[in-house]
Amino acid sequence: MTAQTQSQTKPSGGVKDLRLSRVGKRPVELPKGVTAVLKDGAIEIKGPKGQLSRVLPPNVDVKIEGGAVAVHPTIGGRDGARFQGLARALISGMVVGAGAGYTKTLQLVGTGYRAELKGTMLNLALGFSHPVAFPLPAGIKAEIPADSKGTLVILTGSDKEKMGQTAAKIRGFRPPEPYGGKGVRYQGEKVREKAGKAGKGGK
């Protein structure tokens, strides 16, 4: 891979009070089949699961060489380390998303609560008088396992941020209730249920 360099401000070599993030200073390895390109202050990651692009945070110097992406701060002090850690975390998330993708599973708990997929439209029966129709965003796919009888929705996609927003929005249609736990929850999520009010005893 041809080495490419993207500088946001000044080279990191002459920075005073240079501090490095413990995580941010580690290069992000590019798995087989995943490529990275720097262009006009942004980084573009391509892989088997999709293509992602993001504008780089300020005050960082990013280099692609030897099959890895390295991030260096271009300002000193704690802010330099913070920007380095942020940029590294964002790039790492993009590499994982483009290479392997992300998965989130939602569970529908409640009598008659079901999900049905028609094309890119997810129809949810959540105890309301009518089903909730939710169009899946571009880049996000949904699968409903046959053996779940419509109570599980598996979301997959390459964009971690968009995946989180989509799952949170679906969960927001009917968050788990504190009494009984009915609603939409993330698989494995522990819902803190409150005890029902006890009836008053006779005198």
Side-chain angles (χ1 to χ4, degrees):
M1 181 182 294
T2 303
Q4 301 182 52
T5 302
Q6 174 70 48
S7 296
Q8 294 290 81
T9 54
K10 58 184 177 180
S12 58
V15 178
K16 294 182 179 180
D17 188 26
L18 179 65
R19 300 186 187 184
L20 299 178
S21 164
R22 285 190 302 173
V23 175
K25 67 182 180 182
R26 295 188 311 211
V28 179
E29 299 292 334
L30 296 174
K32 186 176 180 181
V34 177
T35 60
V37 176
L38 294 165
K39 184 178 180 182
D40 300 328
I43 185 166
E44 185 178 281
I45 309 289
K46 292 182 181 178
K49 297 297 183 180
Q51 176 177 330
L52 301 169
S53 180
R54 179 186 288 272
V55 175
L56 292 168
N59 305 314
V60 294
D61 179 71
V62 178
K63 296 180 180 179
I64 302 172
E65 53 190 2
V69 182
V71 182
H72 302 281
T74 58
I75 60 173
R78 292 182 178 178
D79 285 343
R82 289 193 186 105
F83 281 116
Q84 181 191 30
L86 171 64
R88 201 267 182 196
L90 293 174
I91 294 171
S92 177
M94 293 171 68
V95 170
V96 173
Y102 290 98
T103 300
K104 249 187 195 314
T105 302
L106 295 168
Q107 184 178 6
L108 281 60
V109 179
T111 304
Y113 286 23
R114 296 288 183 272
E116 183 182 13
L117 186 64
K118 291 185 177 180
T120 59
M121 185 68 70
L122 185 64
N123 295 311
L124 304 163
L126 300 174
F128 300 122
S129 59
H130 58 278
V132 177
F134 178 72
L136 294 170
I140 302 295
K141 295 181 180 180
E143 178 188 351
I144 302 174
D147 58 355
S148 73
K149 298 181 180 179
T151 60
L152 288 181
V153 178
I154 301 174
L155 301 175
T156 57
S158 59
D159 191 323
K160 185 178 182 180
E161 186 176 343
K162 187 182 287 187
M163 276 280 296
Q165 291 173 345
T166 302
K169 191 160 188 178
I170 295 173
R171 182 182 181 277
F173 290 133
R174 194 79 165 193
E177 298 176 1
Y179 299 102
K182 291 194 303 182
V184 182
R185 65 178 72 182
Y186 302 118
Q187 190 175 46
E189 177 184 359
K190 293 183 179 179
V191 178
R192 298 185 67 177
E193 298 183 13
K194 297 180 180 179
K197 295 180 180 180
K200 293 182 179 180
K203 293 182 179 179

